[in-house]
Amino acid sequence: MKKIEAIIRKTKFDEVKEALIAAGIEWFSYSEVRGVGKDREERIYRGVIYDTSSIERIQLSIIVRDINVEKAIDAIVQSAYTGEIGDGRIFVYPAEDAISIRSGKRGDATLYILDDKK
């Protein structure tokens, strides 16, 4: 199992969500985050200066079986891409175990729906 963390533009969230569902990723969590990137500039809008170095993003947290890692990454990259600075980052970590609180099952079987309803 792997944990995939992706930080993406807020405007791309719906596209990424749909791409992950289409790729067969059945579960993930997300939260709104703020970060500081390489691009530091001020923008002026109607006479008010805005600092754009602190940017709002969505952070996805996805646990997938090893066979689904590349599918999930491809779905995120293809749907989050704009070609501009600030498209985001993806990080992949090993996940040692997963436990279903309801059923007590362990391992990657907790990551997808099985036919047997226990």
Side-chain angles (χ1 to χ4, degrees):
M1 291 182 303
K2 300 284 191 240
K3 178 179 183 181
I4 299 172
E5 284 186 1
I7 300 170
I8 61 169
R9 296 174 183 270
K10 284 180 82 169
T11 57
K12 289 297 211 168
F13 174 70
D14 288 333
E15 292 175 52
V16 171
K17 178 177 70 172
E18 293 304 319
L20 286 168
I21 291 168
I25 306 305
E26 297 175 340
W27 184 90
F28 62 90
S29 60
Y30 65 93
S31 58
E32 293 185 15
V33 296
R34 296 184 69 80
V36 178
K38 292 181 192 177
D39 194 25
R40 304 208 195 323
E41 64 181 59
E42 292 178 342
R43 294 194 180 166
I44 300 174
Y45 179 71
R46 294 188 178 182
V48 178
I49 298 174
Y50 293 93
D51 179 13
T52 62
S53 63
S54 178
I55 43 184
E56 293 181 349
R57 296 287 187 246
I58 298 289
Q59 181 173 345
L60 303 170
S61 179
I62 310 163
I63 305 292
V64 295
R65 296 181 293 157
D66 290 339
I67 62 172
N68 290 331
V69 172
E70 290 305 316
K71 284 195 321 187
I73 291 171
D74 290 344
I76 295 166
V77 169
Q78 291 174 10
S79 58
Y81 177 82
T82 68
E84 298 175 8
I85 292 174
D87 274 352
R89 298 280 189 274
I90 299 173
F91 305 96
V92 180
Y93 310 97
E96 290 186 26
D97 203 358
I99 299 101
S100 170
I101 294 172
R102 181 185 59 83
S103 68
K105 292 182 182 177
R106 296 183 78 119
D108 66 358
T110 64
L111 302 177
Y112 55 95
I113 300 169
L114 296 173
D115 290 336
D116 62 332
K117 306 285 187 210
K118 184 176 175 185

